Amino acid sequence: DLEAKAESILNTYALENVKKFKATNASLVAVEPATGQILAMVGSRNFFDKEIDGQYNATLALRQPGSTMKPFIYSLALMRGYTRDTVVFDTPTQFSTACKPSDVTNGKPPCYSPGNFDNLFRGPMTFETALAQSINIPAVKTLYLVGVQSAINLAKSFGLTSLGDPNQYGLTLVLGGGEVRLLDLTSAYSVFANSGVKNPPTGILEVADAQGTILEKFTPQPEQVIPAGIANDMSAMLSSAQSRFPE
């Protein structure tokens, strides 16, 4: 029933995205946080549509994750002693030491001066508000504070193992500069919903031979990735984002 519902939802919104964003395909995966078991997986909007490569499972494809990387960076900051109420400034900022600090409008390499999705700047704001509104500048500043290598190490512990050399991304990591799989990303988010415990995603519960002999059976492999308190704080921050932007 969940698979059928997932396929229906995906097809509906994927067709809307064709009109809105010229996005020809989409994928969806649902994972149970307490076990890591895959409840539904839809690799494309239509398995039989060859024009959109429908038989390719996009949940296992490497894609840029955009702002979905932000919670992992804020998690590391909370682990370093910052709080949900820590204030950062959403102001035009030049992050590259190769350029003048005052040159806040130059984003061409080696300069790096990112903007926000609406080209506005909001001044001082808390971590929680910055995440809820998905504001870029505070997130980049937070990554600068915690360090790119440390952030990648933490993300990999969540299961985002496709991330590579930090020199590939620099501070763009927090804005989706790397590439991850949807299945891994969904599993990583389940850590926040499971008090900081990661369960590797699995699609097989049991394998038996023709005589019914069990050859292989699912065994839970829980691992505490971040403290429960940090995970609960992040869940609350993400809930705040959902309440602000329900769609």
Side-chain angles (χ1 to χ4, degrees):
D1 290 341
L2 286 175
E3 179 69 19
K5 186 68 173 178
E7 291 178 10
S8 174
I9 291 171
L10 185 78
N11 185 262
T12 298
Y13 285 95
L15 292 176
E16 288 185 13
N17 287 340
V18 173
K19 299 176 182 178
K20 294 180 180 178
F21 310 112
K22 297 182 179 180
T24 59
N25 211 345
S27 59
L28 180 154
V29 63
V31 173
E32 185 177 54
T35 62
Q37 295 173 11
I38 299 171
L39 303 179
M41 176 183 282
V42 189
S44 71
R45 78 174 198 224
N46 186 343
F47 181 83
F48 299 102
D49 191 339
K50 295 181 179 180
E51 291 186 5
I52 61 169
D53 203 11
Q55 296 184 21
Y56 179 72
N57 187 354
T59 68
L60 305 179
L62 290 173
R63 296 287 186 267
Q64 290 189 317
S67 290
T68 59
M69 289 300 297
K70 289 174 180 174
F72 306 110
I73 310 305
Y74 284 114
S75 294
L76 182 55
L78 297 186
M79 292 170 67
R80 294 278 179 85
Y82 296 94
T83 72
R84 292 161 57 181
D85 296 323
T86 294
V87 174
V88 281
F89 285 77
D90 177 32
T91 55
T93 305
Q94 177 56 253
F95 288 94
S96 175
T97 57
C99 303
K100 295 180 180 179
S102 59
D103 195 1
V104 295
T105 59
N106 188 355
K108 295 181 180 180
C111 299
Y112 184 56
S113 182
N116 293 314
F117 67 93
D118 55 6
N119 296 315
L120 298 177
F121 299 95
R122 295 160 177 77
M125 59 197 321
T126 64
F127 277 4
E128 183 160 5
T129 302
L131 178 60
Q133 298 183 22
S134 193
I135 307 303
N136 291 341
I137 309 301
V140 177
K141 289 183 176 179
T142 303
L143 176 57
Y144 182 85
L145 290 172
V146 300
V148 177
Q149 182 64 71
S150 296
I152 289 178
N153 292 344
L154 181 68
K156 284 186 174 181
S157 73
F158 273 80
L160 302 180
T161 56
S162 58
L163 295 175
D165 188 334
N167 292 326
Q168 291 179 258
Y169 324 115
L171 295 176
T172 69
L173 176 70
V174 72
L175 304 183
E179 290 185 322
V180 301
R181 300 176 183 87
L182 177 60
L183 177 60
D184 295 339
L185 184 62
T186 305
S187 175
Y189 264 69
S190 74
V191 172
F192 299 128
N194 196 38
S195 298
V197 177
K198 179 185 75 173
N199 287 288
T202 180
I204 298 175
L205 298 182
E206 188 177 278
V207 177
D209 62 17
Q211 287 70 45
T213 303
I214 304 300
L215 304 177
E216 189 175 325
K217 192 170 184 178
F218 167 72
T219 303
Q221 296 178 317
E223 177 186 355
Q224 191 80 40
V225 175
I226 57 175
I230 301 296
N232 293 337
D233 273 347
M234 287 307 306
S235 291
M237 292 168 69
L238 290 168
S239 295
S240 176
Q242 177 67 15
S243 65
R244 289 171 182 263
F245 305 101
E247 294 183 0

